[in-house]
Amino acid sequence: MVVYLQVNNAGVNYNLGSDNSVEFAQKVVATNYYGTKNVTKAMIPLMRPSAAGSRIVSVSSRLGRLHGRRNRLEDKTLREQLGDLDTLSEELIDRTVSTFLQQVEEGSWTSGGWPQVFTDYSLSKLAVNAFTRLMAKTLSDRPEDQKIYINCYCPGWVKTAMTGWSGNISAEDGADTGVWLSLLPDLAVSGKFFAERREVGF
């Protein structure tokens, strides 16, 4: 069986420590969300001729959880829309991101009810998480011999240049769940969010 594998690890973050500047919000969102989305959509047609079991794995973050207690959207209606597969759409995700970026440009983002920690990074990863769920739903209608399974995961606070080498997890340990998802024998798992090889809530 031929299995095509796509791993999305596009990620930038310009905030260190307690800093929460959104000075680079456009670049963060363009790389983390739009980069992941555009590459995924470009690759899917190339994966179509493959046998069943092709996989897409996106590196995301628990900072982008919809229902995190400390770092979530304040707008309950928007949280519900993004969390409900019946109302979730690419247009809704893009509109949410665009609204944030517009408020950054206007200087009004601090009162917009956005995540409180690493705001631009968190929102970009929230968008990745939502897009993962949306694509899993879209791809679920494909014939069995053309299935593509898509999931995302949080590697944790990894000791890399992006975290200023302040992380508490090695790059090898941070990659573990991604490798595990890439090689997961149970191919039917799709549209899920994982950390430390365990499913976590969006």
Side-chain angles (χ1 to χ4, degrees), residues 73-75 78 99-100 103 108-116:
L73 298 171
E74 288 182 12
D75 187 331
L78 180 57
T99 299
F100 166 67
Q103 290 185 9
S108 61
W109 67 271
T110 53
S111 59
W114 306 106
Q116 299 298 300

Side-chain angles (χ1 to χ4, degrees), residues 22-33:
V22 294
E23 179 182 356
F24 297 101
Q26 290 276 3
K27 186 177 291 187
V28 170
V29 170
T31 302
N32 297 0
Y33 169 54

Side-chain angles (χ1 to χ4, degrees), residues 53-189:
S54 295
R55 279 159 265 183
I56 299 170
V57 178
S58 294
V59 181
S60 190
S61 173
R62 278 173 283 205
L63 286 172
R65 292 178 63 203
L66 270 176
H67 302 294
R69 282 180 290 182
R70 293 191 312 134
N71 202 45
R72 64 180 181 182
L73 298 171
E74 288 182 12
D75 187 331
K76 182 180 178 182
T77 300
L78 180 57
R79 285 203 316 270
E80 290 175 349
Q81 290 174 337
L82 288 167
D84 186 344
L85 275 176
D86 290 333
T87 55
L88 183 62
S89 67
E90 188 174 338
E91 291 74 19
L92 174 63
I93 302 169
D94 287 354
R95 186 167 67 247
T96 300
V97 168
S98 295
T99 299
F100 166 67
L101 291 176
Q102 181 178 349
Q103 290 185 9
V104 169
E105 191 173 324
E106 295 169 351
S108 61
W109 67 271
T110 53
S111 59
W114 306 106
Q116 299 298 300
V117 180
F118 297 162
T119 300
D120 48 2
Y121 179 83
S122 298
L123 188 68
S124 71
K125 293 302 188 177
L126 183 152
V128 169
N129 292 346
F131 181 71
T132 298
R133 294 176 63 239
L134 178 64
M135 289 308 299
K137 177 184 177 182
T138 302
L139 295 169
S140 67
D141 293 334
R142 301 180 63 157
E144 284 300 319
D145 63 345
Q146 295 183 20
K147 287 289 187 184
I148 296 177
Y149 302 95
I150 179 169
N151 296 287
C152 56
Y153 84 101
C154 175
W157 192 241
V158 181
K159 188 175 291 188
T160 63
M162 194 176 77
T163 64
W165 308 104
S166 64
N168 55 9
I169 298 173
S170 69
E172 291 78 10
D173 287 342
D176 175 73
T177 299
V179 174
W180 173 73
L181 279 172
S182 300
L183 303 175
L184 199 62
D186 183 2
L187 300 178
V189 176

